[in-house]
C-alpha cells in the first residue's frame, strides 16, 4: 500500500473528515489488540497511528503485526524514536520537530533512520511537527528536551507551520501533546489552516465529540485521538458512522 498520502489528499478534496486512532505500544499489549481494533473498525476512524515517546524495542513491530490481522485501515507509524520503525506498517510520518531547536529531532534521528528506510517499503511522509503548550509538561517536551510554542503567540505558530510547508513538509501536525489538559483552540487551528496548502493534522487532549467537531469545523483535516480511547473504550460508541 503506497497511497496513503494521495488518499488523504483525495479524501480531503471530497470533504471527508479523517480520524486517526493513536495506539501507544507502551500502553497496549498484543493481547489487548483484537478487542480494541474491533471497536476502531466499528467507529468513524480512518487511520491507525502507532507510536509513543518511550517504547521497548520490538514492541511496535509486534503490535503492528497483530493489529494488521484485524483491520484494513492504513497503519501509519508516528514514532518517538528510530527503534519504532517497522516494515509491517504502511506509512511513516517522518517527523521534524520544527517548533524546537534540538538538532536531534530536526535532522539527527532522521539520518539514523536511513539505513532502515533504504530497504523498506514504507511510504515516507515528511511531516512538520509543532508542539504547543497545553497546560502541563508533556512526554514529547520531556523526551525531546524542547520547549513548546506559547499558545498565546498565534503568529509564531502560524509562521512555524508555514515555514514547515515551504521547507517541503507534506503534512503539518499541530500537537498539544498526549493527554494534554487543553486541546488546541479553535482560533489557533483556524489561523494555521488559512495559511496552509498542505493537510493539517491536529492532536492532543481531545476527549469529547464536541472537541473533535471544533477541530474539524476550524480546519483540521485529520484529528488524532489516543488517550481518550485508552481511558475509556466506550468513547468509540459516540463515534459510530
Ligand atoms: C499525541 O496527538 C496525539 O501525540 C494524541 O493525543 O493522547 O491526548 O489524544 P491524546
Amino acid at each position: 500500500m503506497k497511497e496513503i498520502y494521495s488518499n488523504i489528499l483525495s479524501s480531503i478534496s471530497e470533504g471527508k473528515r479523517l480520524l486517526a486512532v493513536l495506539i501507544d505500544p507502551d500502553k497496549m499489549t498484543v493481547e489487548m489488540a483484537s478487542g480494541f481494533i474491533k471497536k476502531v473498525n466499528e467507529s468513524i476512524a480512518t487511520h491507525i497511528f502507532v507510536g509513543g515517546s518511550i517504547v521497548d524495542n520490538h514492541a511496535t513491530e509486534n503490535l503492528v503485526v497483530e493489529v494488521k490481522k484485524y483491520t484494513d485501515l492504513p497503519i501509519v507509524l508516528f514514532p518517538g524514536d528510530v527503534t519504532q520503525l517497522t516494515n509491517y506498517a504502511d506509512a511513516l510520518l517522518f517527523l521534524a520537530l520544527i517548533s524546537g531547536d534540538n538538532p536531534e529531532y530536526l535532522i539527527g534521528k532522521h539520518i539514523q533512520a536511513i539505513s532502515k528506510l533504504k530497504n523498506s517499503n514504507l511510504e515516507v511522509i515528511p511531516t512538520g511537527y509543532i508542539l504547543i503548550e497545553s497546560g502541563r509538561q508533556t512526554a514529547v517536551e520531556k523526551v525531546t528536551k524542547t520547549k513548546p510554542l506559547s499558545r498565546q503567540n498565534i503568529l509564531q505558530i502560524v509562521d512555524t507551520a508555514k515555514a514547515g510547508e515551504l521547507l517541503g513538509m507534506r503534512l503539518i501536525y499541530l500537537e498539544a501533546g498526549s493527554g494534554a489538559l487543553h486541546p488546541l483552540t479553535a482560533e489557533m487551528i483556524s489561523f494555521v489552516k488559512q495559511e496552509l496548502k498542505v493537510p493539517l493534522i491536529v492532536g492532543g487532549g481531545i476527549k469529547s465529540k464536541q472537541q473533535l467537531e471544533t477541530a474539524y469545523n476550524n480546519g483540521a483535516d485529520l484529528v488524532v485521538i489516543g488517550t481518550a480511547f485508552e481511558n475509556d473504550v466506550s468513547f468509540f460508541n459516540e463515534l459510530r458512522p
Side-chain angles (χ1 to χ4, degrees):
M1 211 193 284
K2 274 259 182 191
E3 299 146 0
I4 310 288
Y5 186 72
S6 65
N7 285 344
I8 289 175
L9 293 182
S10 53
S11 297
I12 293 169
S13 68
E14 290 162 19
K16 289 189 187 146
R17 294 171 154 189
L18 304 174
L19 174 66
V21 176
L22 174 63
I23 305 180
D24 184 342
D26 191 40
K27 298 186 181 132
M28 176 160 309
T29 61
V30 165
E31 292 72 30
M32 290 154 72
S34 68
F36 188 84
I37 297 301
K38 185 169 179 288
K39 289 275 190 189
V40 175
N41 289 336
E42 290 165 359
S43 78
I44 57 172
T46 54
H47 293 76
I48 294 175
F49 284 6
V50 181
S53 296
I54 304 163
V55 176
D56 287 345
N57 275 355
H58 304 299
T60 304
E61 182 157 296
N62 294 342
L63 188 62
V64 167
V65 168
E66 187 69 9
V67 165
K68 267 203 136 168
K69 291 182 194 164
Y70 305 108
T71 187
D72 292 328
L73 292 177
I75 301 177
V76 179
L77 297 176
F78 172 56
D81 200 74
V82 183
T83 55
Q84 295 176 38
L85 299 183
T86 165
N87 283 334
Y88 291 97
D90 299 306
L92 162 70
L93 297 186
F94 204 42
L95 301 164
L97 181 61
I98 56 176
S99 54
D101 56 4
N102 184 345
E104 272 297 289
Y105 290 89
L106 286 165
I107 184 68
K109 301 273 184 195
H110 314 72
I111 297 170
Q112 288 171 31
I114 295 305
S115 60
K116 284 192 172 185
L117 293 179
K118 267 186 198 163
N119 301 316
S120 129
N121 288 321
L122 283 171
E123 179 180 339
V124 178
I125 309 174
T127 303
Y129 189 51
I130 301 174
L131 181 64
I132 296 161
E133 69 173 354
S134 61
R136 67 172 165 218
Q137 197 188 39
T138 60
V140 181
E141 184 180 342
K142 264 190 238 164
V143 170
T144 63
K145 301 188 178 65
T146 63
K147 288 275 158 243
L149 299 184
S150 159
R151 55 197 287 127
Q152 315 305 335
N153 196 341
I154 291 191
L155 182 61
Q156 190 191 22
I157 296 168
V158 172
D159 286 356
T160 304
K162 191 66 189 173
E165 179 181 276
L166 295 180
L167 278 166
M169 305 296 170
R170 312 289 295 278
L171 297 170
I172 294 294
Y173 190 143
L174 286 189
E175 171 72 279
S178 190
L181 281 184
H182 312 294
L184 301 176
T185 63
E187 192 191 19
M188 206 185 283
I189 297 168
S190 131
F191 275 113
V192 171
K193 179 64 184 175
Q194 283 167 39
E195 288 298 323
L196 287 185
K197 294 193 177 71
V198 297
L200 178 62
I201 301 180
V202 168
I206 294 175
K207 301 181 241 355
S208 68
K209 195 163 183 201
Q210 168 93 49
Q211 290 169 331
L212 178 64
E213 291 292 322
T214 300
Y216 287 135
N217 291 341
N218 286 282
D221 295 303
L222 188 154
V223 173
V224 185
I225 302 180
T227 307
F229 295 128
E230 276 165 24
N231 290 347
D232 182 7
V233 281
S234 70
F235 184 36
F236 281 115
N237 300 339
E238 291 177 47
L239 303 178
R240 292 233 170 100

